[in-house]
Amino acid sequence: MKGLTISLLLLLTTMISCQQKKGEDKVMYSPDTLMLSKAFETFKEPRLSQRRFNHQVIEPLILKRKDSPLFQVSTLGHSVQKRTLYQLHYGKGSKKVMLWSQMHGNESTATMALFDLLNFLEGENDSYDSIRNLLNEKTSLFFLPMINPDGAEIFNRRNALDIDLNRDARATASPESKILKAAAEANKPDFGFNLHDQHIYYNVPGTGNPATISFLAPAYNYEKDINDVRGRAMQLIVGMNQLLQHYIPNGVAKYDDTHEPRGFGDNFQKWGASTVLIESGGYKGDPEKQYIRKLNFMILLNALIEIAKGSYEQYHRDDYQAIPENASKLCDLLIKNITAERDSVTYPVDLAIKRDEITAPDSVFYVRGRIDDVGDLKESFGYQELDAKGLTFMKGKLYPTPYNTVDELNSSKVMDLLRQGYFAIQLRNIAANRHYSLPVLLSGNGLIYGNSPTLGSQANFFLAKDGQPVYAIVNGYLIDLAKSPDEEFRNYIHP
Ligand SMILES: [Zn+2]
């Protein structure tokens, strides 16, 4: 009996040591989350502080590095409107990594993070020197920020030919696509990071959490086969996801991997670079995506460290497959259980309201709130939600006495009018101040006064109790009439 116990123990010990040996084949590494967070705060590029910036803003940040011993700055070519596309090359290692951003002109979050990374790489004599030495020795990094500068100029997805560059990898009809493909041919990267933004209404399925970051290891064929190249991209994503869970628990999703033969990510994967698509989505209270920029910085820096060390091999592809797929059930404002009436029918209804961002002729953006969905929306989520049980949909009124200019109004005057059920004011002079931040409609807005919630219409109405307005919804913004508003309203007068 005793002998049996001993041999069992021996067997068990052997099994454990075998497992340890198996594990030793792979480099184990786990990120120092505090270090990554501090590095961002130290090295974030101060000239980039909001989402909308153009090529003129980033060009000096590139050109100032022309004489830097750390970077080789090269001109790759020019956009349709003759803006210069640059590449910055860092490091002398054998693992080649290409990182390109903003091939969609209105997707700028990762561009900011790339400049933060350049600043990080330039630091010296601090606790990060060992990371820089590692990256310098083991990797060659090719940074291509803002592939679509003409689109960025007007914060538009497509380029100046109206072509979607991420559907132009096969045809390369656009100069920007030719440049990106030529860079891939010249650099022959082992790894690629294809950096985008997705709309803020994607959520992690079954939750009200925005998909703040979504990933994809794009498929290189219709069969969605997984070879070593694509498998490595999946492993890298598993590491990035683990890091993100510290910061945005259950706030990560992935795209479905239907093959897109025209997409750059799909083609990079086909050309032999393990390619990761990163999509920056929304995060509550972060309209300018500065926290999401930080997340980008941290996961990119960490992934580069993992590439340098080879530690991404510790991760399992199955954990990539386990990341949930994006759902699209979010809106800006979800109001449930409103009582409405149309054609003598009284009915309960939920409303999903979205606030579209529109670029004005002065290239400052304003917001247009609209009713995006009407009906039973109990499985939907809002960045802001209101249960309107007991409240009735009420049409707003136009205040009869005109004001001269918007300057005659202020927040407390407007709140007084709202409390009386007026949500629109006439102005004699609308020429000046076309942008304004008051929770009221100004005449000339092309106002729609619905008696009941109308799909697709502007989101302008009251919620009332016993005929008295309790909430105003003006241009998609929710205003509690018992309080004074604390939000910045990005409203606009249409001439
Ligand atoms: Zn995109």
Side-chain angles (χ1 to χ4, degrees), residues 262-392:
R262 304 168 299 166
F264 265 99
D266 306 62
N267 278 287
F268 265 76
Q269 204 87 274
K270 195 192 292 180
W271 300 333
S274 299
T275 303
V276 172
L277 171 76
I278 302 178
E279 296 270 1
S280 294
Y283 186 75
K284 195 176 163 94
D286 188 25
E288 291 301 331
K289 297 196 168 192
Q290 296 303 304
Y291 183 61
I292 309 177
R293 161 195 188 170
K294 175 177 179 171
L295 298 175
N296 268 262
F297 171 88
M298 294 192 295
I299 55 176
L300 285 172
L301 178 55
N302 196 59
L304 296 176
I305 295 170
E306 296 237 53
I307 288 170
K309 287 178 181 283
S311 56
Y312 61 85
E313 289 181 14
Q314 69 186 306
Y315 303 119
H316 298 285
R317 293 170 186 177
D318 291 349
D319 291 329
Y320 170 81
Q321 305 292 9
I323 299 173
E325 277 191 18
N326 271 357
S328 190
K329 287 278 187 190
L330 262 175
C331 61
D332 290 297
L333 172 60
L334 183 70
I335 309 180
K336 293 180 190 167
N337 305 312
I338 300 172
T339 303
E341 192 187 323
R342 190 189 288 184
D343 296 336
S344 313
V345 177
T346 301
Y347 57 103
V349 72
D350 308 329
L351 299 181
I353 291 165
K354 287 185 178 173
R355 297 196 284 258
D356 298 330
E357 272 186 31
I358 298 158
T359 305
D362 61 4
S363 60
V364 177
F365 81 93
Y366 64 91
V367 151
R368 187 153 59 203
R370 79 189 146 74
I371 298 178
D372 185 66
D373 205 355
V374 176
D376 174 356
L377 306 177
K378 297 294 183 290
E379 278 72 34
S380 294
F381 302 95
Y383 279 92
Q384 199 179 6
E385 295 188 6
L386 176 72
D387 186 349
K389 203 160 181 58
L391 300 178
T392 307

Side-chain angles (χ1 to χ4, degrees), residues 108-402:
S108 62
T109 306
T111 301
M112 296 187 272
L114 291 186
F115 284 100
D116 303 333
L117 277 173
L118 297 179
N119 287 351
F120 172 84
L121 293 171
E122 271 175 345
E124 55 185 348
N125 301 323
D126 59 23
S127 55
Y128 310 110
D129 280 345
S130 59
I131 296 173
R132 294 184 192 109
N133 290 339
L134 172 77
L135 295 178
N136 200 297
E137 295 294 325
K138 297 286 184 191
T139 69
S140 278
L141 310 178
F142 300 92
F143 295 94
L144 290 78
M146 197 187 275
I147 294 291
N148 180 5
D150 300 347
E153 192 66 22
I154 51 169
F155 213 64
N156 186 42
R157 176 181 175 88
R158 295 184 179 224
N159 77 346
L161 305 177
D162 280 339
I163 286 177
D164 182 334
L165 295 181
N166 210 21
R167 303 290 179 271
D168 195 31
R170 185 177 59 196
T172 57
S174 299
E176 300 90 349
S177 310
K178 285 190 178 78
I179 289 167
L180 183 55
K181 189 177 180 188
E185 284 166 354
N187 297 332
K188 300 185 176 61
D190 304 295
F191 297 91
F193 290 90
N194 184 12
L195 305 171
H196 290 253
D197 283 66
Q198 63 187 356
H199 70 62
I200 63 167
Y201 305 121
Y202 282 121
N203 64 307
V204 176
T207 79
N209 300 345
T212 301
I213 297 285
S214 292
F215 290 110
L216 176 67
Y220 57 90
N221 61 11
Y222 285 109
E223 292 73 30
K224 306 180 188 181
D225 289 334
I226 303 170
N227 60 2
D228 287 347
V229 172
R230 188 173 177 219
R232 281 192 283 274
M234 291 176 170
Q235 289 173 307
L236 274 173
I237 289 170
V238 172
M240 295 170 118
N241 180 41
Q242 282 187 10
L243 175 55
L244 284 173
Q245 294 302 325
H246 292 279
Y247 292 91
I248 42 167
N250 207 8
V252 179
K254 72 174 187 298
Y255 267 82
D256 96 272
D257 62 350
T258 305
H259 178 55
E260 170 51 80
R262 304 168 299 166
F264 265 99
D266 306 62
N267 278 287
F268 265 76
Q269 204 87 274
K270 195 192 292 180
W271 300 333
S274 299
T275 303
V276 172
L277 171 76
I278 302 178
E279 296 270 1
S280 294
Y283 186 75
K284 195 176 163 94
D286 188 25
E288 291 301 331
K289 297 196 168 192
Q290 296 303 304
Y291 183 61
I292 309 177
R293 161 195 188 170
K294 175 177 179 171
L295 298 175
N296 268 262
F297 171 88
M298 294 192 295
I299 55 176
L300 285 172
L301 178 55
N302 196 59
L304 296 176
I305 295 170
E306 296 237 53
I307 288 170
K309 287 178 181 283
S311 56
Y312 61 85
E313 289 181 14
Q314 69 186 306
Y315 303 119
H316 298 285
R317 293 170 186 177
D318 291 349
D319 291 329
Y320 170 81
Q321 305 292 9
I323 299 173
E325 277 191 18
N326 271 357
S328 190
K329 287 278 187 190
L330 262 175
C331 61
D332 290 297
L333 172 60
L334 183 70
I335 309 180
K336 293 180 190 167
N337 305 312
I338 300 172
T339 303
E341 192 187 323
R342 190 189 288 184
D343 296 336
S344 313
V345 177
T346 301
Y347 57 103
V349 72
D350 308 329
L351 299 181
I353 291 165
K354 287 185 178 173
R355 297 196 284 258
D356 298 330
E357 272 186 31
I358 298 158
T359 305
D362 61 4
S363 60
V364 177
F365 81 93
Y366 64 91
V367 151
R368 187 153 59 203
R370 79 189 146 74
I371 298 178
D372 185 66
D373 205 355
V374 176
D376 174 356
L377 306 177
K378 297 294 183 290
E379 278 72 34
S380 294
F381 302 95
Y383 279 92
Q384 199 179 6
E385 295 188 6
L386 176 72
D387 186 349
K389 203 160 181 58
L391 300 178
T392 307
F393 185 98
M394 188 178 114
K395 175 182 168 174
K397 297 181 292 186
L398 175 68
Y399 190 64
T401 318

